[in-house]
Amino acid sequence: MATYDWLFNMLGLRKWCDAGASDGPMSMAQLLAKTGNAAPESGFSFAFPSLDELNKACGQISQTRDVVKGLENGFLAIRPALRTVLDPITQPLSWMLDGTLYLFMTAPWFLIMAVILVAVWFSTRSLSVLLFNGFCLSFFAFVDHFEPAMQTFAVILVCTIISALFGIPIGIAMSKHNRLQKAIIPILDLLQTLPTFVYLIPLIFLFPIGESRLYGIAIILYAIVPVIRLTDLGVRLVDKDVVEAGNAFGMSPGQKLTKVELPLALPNIMAGLNQTIMMSLAMVVIASMVTAPGLGVLVLRGIRNLELGVGLMAGVCIVLLAVMLDRTSKAALSRIDRTKNEM
């Protein structure tokens, strides 16, 4: 006798439950019981009224596996329509990722180093940060990890640029419209709390394995949240008196945004970009499970083949790359703050 037979009998649903009853597929607990591997029952047990438990008492109620199967079938049913919409939208992302990776893989190492160090100098004007970046790049080359490190760097570069291109305008729009903010915040909460591996599940059914947009979309969705939130916050925190002064001088909304609000919100926007870079780096390692190139591939190889040294060396390079990007972006942010204070 099932635990909840009394419930359906009391509600007078026994006839409905037994109508057309047949032996349905067994639940996981029933399968384990049949193989003799079921967990031993305690002396007193009262099972939670889950779908499987209710199904035992009433065959008309679906089992959990039916709900899971329905979810899967629903996604597969809308997949062609999703691909029709997403294919042309996401194709430029594939071109950008493939082009940047090709550029970093074909250019001579000394040219890549020189370009990176010049960019670091002009963004930070800090000799210590420049020397640290030079040390990290030399270390990657010294241990023959320069190529995978640059692959990881190229993916982060493209995904951060795209996150900024979409995230900053969305954050500005949220700061100007309270209703839009209320509508987008639940989506940002969902993106921020979703487990990282879950990002990959629908994407591997939408795009063929090996396409760069497969991991590019996952990285962007995971990393775009901080830049949106901090842009919204930065614009909202601009001193109202300064905005009123802009109104008094007859500035248009566009002039106030570009000449007053965005310059004052720049430190918060840069802090959001810093977090986006760090989250891109975290996700690019996980995305190596779906063919994302770079240091993450070496980490996976170390785990799969139990090659301790390969995994540890790749891990050290990832840490150095993270510190390199973090110090550079923070030094650039400090330079912006100093420039603003001197004005």
Side-chain angles (χ1 to χ4, degrees), residues 1 11 30 33-34 41 48 53 80 91 121 128 138 158 164 188 214 216 226 237 279 319-320:
M1 182 176 175
L11 295 174
Q30 290 169 324
K34 192 173 181 180
E41 294 185 0
F48 188 83
E53 283 298 325
Q91 188 58 50
W121 173 251
S128 59
S138 303
V158 172
L188 299 181
L214 168 59
L237 288 178
M279 292 179 76
V319 171
L320 285 177

Side-chain angles (χ1 to χ4, degrees), residues 94-122:
S94 281
W95 293 335
M96 287 179 68
L97 285 168
D98 293 340
T100 309
L101 284 168
Y102 176 79
L103 186 65
F104 272 78
M105 291 303 97
T106 52
W109 62 268
F110 53 85
L111 184 60
I112 296 174
M113 279 192 184
V115 169
I116 292 176
L117 292 177
V118 168
V120 168
W121 173 251
F122 276 101

Side-chain angles (χ1 to χ4, degrees), residues 30-51:
Q30 290 169 324
L31 286 170
L32 289 172
K34 192 173 181 180
T35 57
N37 294 320
E41 294 185 0
S42 60
F44 175 77
S45 65
F46 186 77
F48 188 83
S50 64
L51 287 175

Side-chain angles (χ1 to χ4, degrees), residues 226-227 230 265-277 329 333:
V227 71
L230 288 174
L266 200 54
N268 280 310
I269 296 173
M270 287 295 294
L273 278 177
N274 174 273
Q275 291 302 305
T276 293
I277 292 169
S329 56
L333 175 61

